[in-house]
Amino acid sequence: MAGSGVSSSSSSSHPRFLRFISVPHLLLLLALLVASTGNPDGARGKASLRLNLRSFLEQKTDISSSSKASRSCISQRSRQRNGAIILEIIHRDHCSGQKTTTWYDEAEKTLTSDDARVRSIQSRIKSMISRKKDEVSELQIPLTSGIKLQTLNYIVSVALGGRKMSVIVDTGSDLTWVQCQPCRVCYTQQDPMFNPSISPSYRSISCNSSTCQSLLFEAGNSGICSGMSPQSCSYSVTYSDGSHTRGELGLDTLSLGTVPVNNFIFGCGRDNKGLFGGASGLMGLGRSSISLISQTSAMFGGVFSYCLPSAGAASTGSLVFGGDSSVYKNSTPFSYADINLNQEMPTFYFLNLTGVRVGGVALESPSFGNSGILIDSGTVISRLQPSIYRALKGEFLRQFSGFPSAPPFSILDTCFNLTSYQEVDIPEIKMHFGDNAQLAVDLTGVFYFAKPDASQVCLAVASLTYENDVGIIGNYQQKNQRIIYDTQGNKLGIGKETCSFM
């Protein structure tokens, strides 16, 4: 097997020591050493994950080729179990439409867009802090990576006013919105655009209503009347990277599978621009009163969870509303951590990052336990404080040694050329939160492949610019985990789960 070998050790470097080992014991020792290594110097006997590069890349290539076949982006399959509605989620690569860009260009575009989102989040957090100082039942729907819609994130299919549409799942946002006709400035979406004038259940929200005033206050806007319709309640959500959605708030029936959510408040976007790919809009899973979670708290108890499938894989995941654990397929027990209640940023989900282990080795950093880290379904690559990232990078390179290096790629600066290897052993990365919770990063979440021949494979974690920036756990490191958000109990649960709709 290419890439296998015997790592150096104290016993193998001292012939005098070997004289006292019998031949059978020596053969056993050598066999154990070989079995424990999958790279030139091995994983130093630490906890590692074995990655078959050829199989992984062949799977990615096959899926890329199959994307040329026409297929609807809106999932049609659903099933019910123990009161839960389960809708299928498919990956964007399985939607209709042929890619015109190369693997390298797509990979670079993803990271560039992701960097813009992170900068937007950091700016939003700082703005919220500044503004604060100035002011003193069970439902499961399918979830898939949004690659098929040329968006960074994962998408689900819902219905609004009886019309099916695909929306991005975003725990870092509160307002659920879709593009609406007539649209002044709208990006190209794959599904038909929502038209409130033909929805029998649509109603507008008056700009002088208490609902408009309170909801827009939470979103950082003042209640104003739309120029388009004096009686409507305008909203505007703008990001520092230039992305935005603007329109008016309305009420309609949102269908999550077969479960209706009547009088659901959402944004009818008339002017939308940004990193939304071909999705119809966005599903806000934050914590403010305008979010989907808050609006359905009487139905689902403020509990939701998801399992994000591997990007590029022909697998599906699921988004579950409610706390019935019988629908979960976790292979490890759930560990729980408290969700930090940050009064300056109350709508985000923060955890206390207390440690990180690489191949079983505990890292050291003054930032552990001193600042919250944001868990976000919309960010792709995790961002760590510089001191934590330096420690992680150093230990990873120490254990994953002997491989040819490759140039940095976009925001990723730890890259390797693995074209000569069929299998490699990768040090396992574990993040620890609070007293007991931990997230063991899935095999597919450790490396980011910039090129399909494995000539530029990078550690899929990046450093923040400043130590006081807010760390983020991105969706790339959340893959094949069941993440449970209990907003009323202020707890977050993590359990290993191979994502599958069926």
Side-chain angles (χ1 to χ4, degrees), residues 62-77:
D62 290 343
I63 291 168
S64 179
S65 300
S66 67
S67 67
K68 298 177 182 179
S70 177
R71 179 174 177 179
S72 172
C73 286
I74 301 180
S75 170
Q76 301 298 322
R77 295 194 300 171

Side-chain angles (χ1 to χ4, degrees), residues 75-123:
S75 170
Q76 301 298 322
R77 295 194 300 171
S78 65
R79 62 190 176 93
Q80 188 169 358
R81 177 184 172 188
N82 297 336
I85 302 298
I86 307 170
L87 306 182
E88 181 188 16
I89 298 175
I90 60 175
H91 191 273
R92 74 174 186 184
D93 282 347
H94 298 277
C95 283
S96 59
Q98 182 174 349
K99 289 185 178 179
T100 58
T101 56
T102 65
W103 180 313
Y104 185 90
D105 290 339
E106 280 294 318
E108 186 175 43
K109 177 183 176 182
T110 295
L111 295 186
T112 300
S113 299
D114 193 45
D115 191 46
R117 176 184 171 88
V118 170
R119 285 187 280 108
S120 173
I121 289 176
Q122 299 294 335
S123 176

Side-chain angles (χ1 to χ4, degrees), residues 18 26 36 39-41 51 86 98 111 150 176 189 217 240 318 321 324 337 365 383 450 459 471 477:
L18 293 179
L26 176 59
S36 67
N39 33 311
D41 287 332
L51 173 64
I86 307 170
Q98 182 174 349
L111 295 186
Q150 290 75 54
T176 296
Q189 68 176 60
F217 175 79
S240 62
S318 59
F321 292 98
D324 186 352
S365 168
R383 305 303 206 280
L459 178 63
Q477 282 68 49

Side-chain angles (χ1 to χ4, degrees), residues 460-480:
V461 182
S463 176
L464 293 164
T465 303
Y466 305 105
E467 198 70 22
N468 61 352
D469 282 345
V470 176
I472 304 174
I473 302 172
N475 60 46
Y476 206 81
Q477 282 68 49
Q478 296 179 46
K479 290 184 292 184
N480 289 317

Side-chain angles (χ1 to χ4, degrees), residues 339-350:
I339 298 175
N340 291 354
L341 297 178
N342 191 315
Q343 298 302 321
E344 296 173 334
M345 295 164 277
T347 67
F348 287 119
Y349 297 99
F350 281 99

Side-chain angles (χ1 to χ4, degrees), residues 310-344:
S310 301
S315 60
T316 58
S318 59
L319 173 64
V320 179
F321 292 98
D324 186 352
S325 60
S326 66
V327 299
Y328 304 153
K329 303 174 183 178
N330 53 300
S331 58
T332 64
F334 286 105
S335 57
Y336 288 87
D338 292 336
I339 298 175
N340 291 354
L341 297 178
N342 191 315
Q343 298 302 321
E344 296 173 334

Side-chain angles (χ1 to χ4, degrees), residues 291-313:
S291 76
L292 174 60
I293 302 307
S294 295
Q295 291 193 58
T296 60
S297 61
M299 302 171 65
F300 306 121
V303 178
F304 72 98
S305 70
Y306 55 65
C307 187
L308 305 179
S310 301

